[in-house]
């Protein structure tokens, strides 16, 4: 009987694995169809100046418009796409769409904004990464200073010499670079001083309890102080409460991002958001907003 029970448990276990494998394979096939049909959408989350509160840019966040499952968040398919190599075409689409959307916003008089695009490690390390990027800017007509690339610490740590070289090229092009999810990568701080970057984004995990956990508040204060001494701007992501904003403002954080201010939204909603904040569409590029 015990043997019987044991076999059942094993059968359950293997069938769970089989379910997982076939689920992944199904998702991979669906994703391939989505890539061909361009079934993705970018949602934009505003970034606001800590001083003055004006919108200084948006982060582009990809969603998969799944025919059955609805909008799927990137956490559910970006890791898979990185494993399968499908991240390449998805990234290409994201970059071009973000550039096109920003050009359209400016052309229609909503203002000239900088858009932040998340880069996957594979993309950054590709041999033709820089020429692809140059090509995307030329094709879409976006000015390089309206583009920011978000990299994670991992991307920069794996092959630092090559990464530093690429970052210098980006700086020469006029494209801004920020380090995303800062503080989660266990990386040595010494690498920061040799990187030609402009910004770091404090990870949401430190912001969440910043007002109640003395370790988090110490870490956040430390990051801000260090970044400023290195001449970097600091963005805090994941701000959900006024108390978090107040703490971060009091400690000199430069840019805010989080549900407290605005959730990521599709372009049409973003236009309404900007109009509500005083944009007057139809007035060309007159409503220029400082980028930093
Ligand atoms: P991330 O770059 O750190 O982006 C911020 C994530 O935090 C977004 O989740 C955003 O919706 C969420 N967020 C913003 N404010 C708040 C808040 O106040 N509270 C909470 N709880 N969450 C907040 P999302 O859109 O699900 O994206 C997750 C991750 O997926 C991103 O993290 C980024 O690493 C990745 N990702 C998104 N779009 C792309 C893309 O186009 N390419 C690549 N390679 N990765 C992407
Ligand atoms: Mg990001
Ligand atoms: Mg982030
Ligand atoms: Mg994060």
């Amino acid at each position: 009987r015990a043997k019987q029970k044991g076999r059942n448990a094993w059968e359950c276990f293997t069938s769970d694995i089989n379910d997982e494998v076939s689920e992944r394979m199904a998702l991979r096939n669906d994703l391939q169809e989505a890539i061909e049909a361009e079934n993705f959408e970018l949602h934009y989350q505003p970034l606001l100046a800590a001083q003055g509160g004006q919108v200084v840019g948006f982060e582009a966040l990809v969603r998969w418009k799944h025919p059955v499952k609805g909008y799927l968040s990137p956490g559910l398919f970006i890791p898979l796409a990185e494993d399968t190599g499908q991240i390449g075409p998805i990234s290409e689409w994201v970059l071009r769409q973000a550039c096109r959307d920003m050009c359209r916003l400016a052309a229609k008089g909503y203002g000239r904004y900088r858009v932040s695009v998340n880069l996957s490690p594979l993309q950054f390390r590709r041999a033709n990464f820089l020429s692809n990027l140059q090509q995307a800017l030329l094709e879409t007509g976006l000015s390089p200073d309206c583009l920011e690339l978000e990299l994670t610490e991992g991307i920069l740590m794996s092959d630092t010499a090559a990464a530093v070289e690429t970052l210098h090229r980006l700086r020469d092009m006029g494209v801004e670079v920020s380090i995303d999810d800062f503080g989660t990568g266990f990386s040595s701080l010494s690498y920061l001083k040799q990187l030609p970057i402009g910004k770091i984004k404090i990870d949401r995990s430190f912001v969440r309890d910043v007002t109640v956990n003395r370790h988090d508040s110490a870490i956040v204060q430390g990051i801000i102080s260090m970044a400023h001494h290195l001449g970097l701007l600091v963005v805090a992501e994941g701000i959900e409460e006024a108390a978090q904003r107040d703490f971060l403002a009091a400690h000199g954080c430069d840019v805010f991002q989080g549900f407290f201010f605005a959730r990521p939204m599709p372009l049409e909603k973003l236009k309404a958001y900007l109009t509500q904040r005083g944009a007057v569409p139809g007035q060309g590029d007159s409503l220029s907003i400082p980028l930093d």
Side-chain angles (χ1 to χ4, degrees), residues 59 180-181 201-204 207 235-239 257-258:
E59 179 171 4
D180 203 0
D181 304 337
K201 298 186 75 173
I202 303 178
D203 192 63
R204 192 167 83 219
V207 171
V235 183
E237 59 176 27
I239 300 172
Q257 177 181 6

Side-chain angles (χ1 to χ4, degrees), residues 14-291:
T14 51
S15 85
D16 276 359
I17 290 182
N18 286 336
D19 284 354
E20 227 178 279
V21 170
S22 49
E23 168 78 11
R24 260 176 82 87
M25 278 177 61
L27 209 59
R28 180 200 175 133
N29 291 338
D30 287 1
L31 194 53
Q32 197 53 41
E33 282 172 24
I35 290 168
E36 276 146 33
E38 302 192 358
N39 266 341
F40 300 99
E41 196 170 293
L42 289 183
H43 287 190
Y44 293 99
Q45 187 175 31
L47 289 126
L48 297 102
Q51 305 272 325
Q54 73 270 46
V55 176
V56 294
F58 316 106
E59 179 171 4
L61 296 156
V62 69
R63 274 88 181 95
W64 172 5
K65 290 184 289 180
H66 192 282
V68 182
K69 297 175 181 171
Y71 280 109
L72 294 184
S73 74
L76 289 171
F77 65 92
I78 291 286
L80 174 76
E82 279 171 343
D83 288 349
T84 61
Q86 290 166 311
I87 189 69
I90 296 174
S91 301
E92 288 294 314
W93 182 87
V94 167
L95 180 64
R96 278 177 173 73
Q97 190 62 34
C99 292
R100 275 195 296 265
D101 284 347
M102 283 312 109
C103 285
R104 260 178 231 150
L105 274 186
K108 291 190 174 155
Y110 288 93
R112 184 172 179 270
Y113 295 100
R114 182 180 282 160
V115 66
S116 305
V117 172
N118 292 283
L119 273 200
S120 99
L122 263 108
Q123 214 181 342
F124 185 74
R125 290 198 208 100
R126 272 171 63 186
N128 53 359
F129 163 66
L130 286 167
S131 54
N132 264 340
L133 185 69
Q134 194 76 260
Q135 186 68 28
L137 289 168
L138 282 172
E139 270 172 32
T140 59
L142 190 74
S143 162
D145 69 342
C146 287
L147 180 63
E148 177 165 326
L149 300 175
E150 296 194 3
L151 309 178
T152 54
E153 290 167 83
I155 300 184
L156 302 169
M157 292 305 290
S158 55
D159 183 358
T160 313
V164 169
E165 180 61 29
T166 306
L167 291 176
H168 277 290
R169 287 285 130 70
L170 289 171
R171 172 150 286 190
D172 295 344
M173 280 170 69
V175 171
E176 175 72 292
V177 174
S178 57
I179 301 187
D180 203 0
D181 304 337
F182 187 81
T184 60
F186 296 107
S187 52
S188 127
L189 291 178
S190 67
Y191 83 112
L192 260 188
K193 69 176 181 194
Q194 40 164 329
L195 297 181
I197 54 161
K199 275 190 199 130
I200 58 177
K201 298 186 75 173
I202 303 178
D203 192 63
R204 192 167 83 219
S205 59
F206 300 113
V207 171
R208 191 181 52 226
D209 297 327
V210 75
T211 59
V212 290
N213 180 308
R214 65 192 171 85
H215 298 117
D216 287 331
S217 80
I219 290 168
V220 166
Q221 289 177 67
I223 292 175
I224 294 172
S225 162
M226 178 193 64
H228 283 166
H229 281 106
L230 291 168
L232 306 172
L233 290 174
V234 181
V235 183
E237 59 176 27
I239 300 172
E240 295 183 352
E241 298 161 12
Q244 294 165 338
R245 175 204 56 194
D246 294 343
F247 179 96
L248 291 158
H251 292 92
C253 180
D254 304 288
V255 178
F256 295 149
Q257 177 181 6
F259 295 170
F260 178 74
F261 303 97
R263 290 189 173 248
M265 54 191 121
L267 190 66
E268 285 313 307
K269 247 184 126 180
L270 184 66
K271 288 178 182 167
Y273 171 87
L274 291 171
T275 305
Q276 208 184 327
R277 294 178 61 98
V280 187
Q283 292 199 344
D285 215 355
S286 60
L287 236 149
S288 269
I289 284 159
L291 289 171

